Amino acid sequence: MCGRYANHIGAMLGWTDVLADWPAQAELSFNIAPSQMAPIVTSQGCAVFRWGLLPAWVDTQQTAFSTFNARLATLAEKPSFRDAWTRGRRCIVPALGYYEWQQQSNTKQAYFVTRKDCNPILFGGLFECPRLDTPGSFTIITRPAEGLLEPLHHAMPLMFEASQAKLWMHGNVDESENLAWQPYSEDYRFYPVSNRVNNVHNQGTDLIREILPEVPPQQGFGF
C-alpha cells in the first residue's frame, strides 16, 4: 500500500536515461498525498499529474471512490483501471521513498521505506490523459509484500530498477505483467519516523529522519 510518499528532484536529475525531460515546475516534496499534483514519467516524457486516477467516465475531481492505489492482481478486472492497463497507459512515479503505518499499542507509528543505496525508487503506475474538465491523473500499483518489507504491511508498491523502467512503459501487456510479478531484490529498508508526516501540510527533511520507535514492528500487521 502507498498512501503518502516523498520525492527528491535533486536525486532524479542525474537519471537522464529515464528522466531526460524532468519537469521544471515539479516541486520537491517530502509529503505527497492523494489528490496532489506530482511528476510522473510516461513513454511520451515527463509530466505533472494528479495522484488519484480519474477514469474516462469521471468529469470531476471530486470522486466518491479511492483510486490512488491499484492492485496488480485485478488491473484487468476493475473498471477504474482496466482501460489504462489494457491500452498500455503505464507510467513510472519517481520517489525518494514512501510512508507506511502500523498500529502499535494505542497509536499508529509511521515508517519510511527507501532504498538501501539511497537511489530513487521507481513506482509502477497507470495514468489517464488530461481531458476538458479534468487534469491528467495517475495511480500507483500495489502487489503483495515480500522479503524485508513483508513485516511492515501486507501490500507494497510495485517498484522497478532503472534498467526495467523502459520495458514497463513500452512493453506489451504480457511483458509488463511478467515484469511486475518478478521477485524483489533485498535493496529496500524501512525505519520509524516522526508522526508529523500525518499532517499533509508538514514538510522538511525531518519527516524522513529515523527515530527510535516505542514498539518494534510486528509480523503481519497492516491496516
Side-chain angles (χ1 to χ4, degrees):
M1 187 167 183
C2 179
R4 203 77 64 84
Y5 72 96
N7 66 3
H8 196 292
I9 293 173
M12 305 299 174
L13 291 176
W15 287 36
T16 54
D17 56 337
V18 178
L19 309 173
D21 57 348
W22 183 258
Q25 73 272 30
E27 296 183 0
L28 173 70
S29 176
F30 288 96
N31 201 359
I32 301 173
S35 79
Q36 293 183 347
M37 304 297 287
I40 66 170
V41 187
T42 74
S43 58
Q44 288 77 46
C46 296
V48 178
F49 278 15
R50 176 190 185 272
W51 185 16
L53 190 136
L54 300 171
W57 66 84
V58 170
D59 58 7
T60 174
Q61 296 186 49
Q62 304 302 318
T63 61
F65 48 92
S66 173
T67 58
F68 62 88
N69 282 162
R71 291 175 56 203
L72 177 60
T74 59
L75 292 178
E77 304 169 12
K78 296 295 185 180
S80 296
F81 310 118
R82 183 172 54 220
D83 192 56
W85 171 244
T86 57
R87 294 179 181 274
R89 290 195 289 272
R90 297 182 294 273
C91 64
I92 290 291
V93 184
L96 178 63
Y98 70 95
Y99 301 95
E100 194 60 85
W101 284 261
Q102 279 197 346
Q103 185 71 45
Q104 297 175 2
S105 299
N106 296 321
T107 186
K108 282 185 176 180
Q109 174 62 56
Y111 287 83
F112 189 63
V113 183
T114 189
R115 287 182 60 98
K116 293 178 181 178
D117 59 11
C118 299
N119 279 328
I121 292 177
L122 301 179
F123 298 136
L126 300 174
F127 72 94
E128 290 285 354
C129 296
R131 302 187 293 276
L132 181 63
D133 297 317
T134 58
S137 59
F138 71 94
T139 186
I140 294 174
I141 298 171
T142 64
R143 53 172 283 182
E146 62 180 49
L148 296 177
L149 301 183
E150 190 173 3
L152 184 61
H153 194 273
H154 61 81
M156 64 185 183
L158 180 58
M159 297 182 282
F160 295 114
E161 302 294 326
S163 60
Q164 301 171 314
K166 289 185 178 179
L167 177 58
W168 167 250
M169 292 187 291
H170 295 277
N172 60 40
V173 172
D174 289 339
E175 289 172 330
S176 298
E177 184 169 14
N178 289 336
L179 178 65
W181 283 113
Q182 286 186 4
Y184 272 26
S185 67
E186 299 292 352
D187 293 335
Y188 302 94
R189 70 187 186 101
F190 65 89
Y191 55 83
V193 294
S194 169
N195 283 332
R196 290 188 66 249
V197 71
N198 295 351
N199 186 332
V200 71
H201 298 293
N202 289 335
Q203 291 287 338
T205 56
D206 62 305
L207 297 184
I208 62 170
R209 186 175 299 125
E210 185 171 3
I211 65 171
L212 291 176
E214 294 183 2
V215 181
Q218 301 177 36
Q219 177 74 30
F221 246 156
F223 68 98

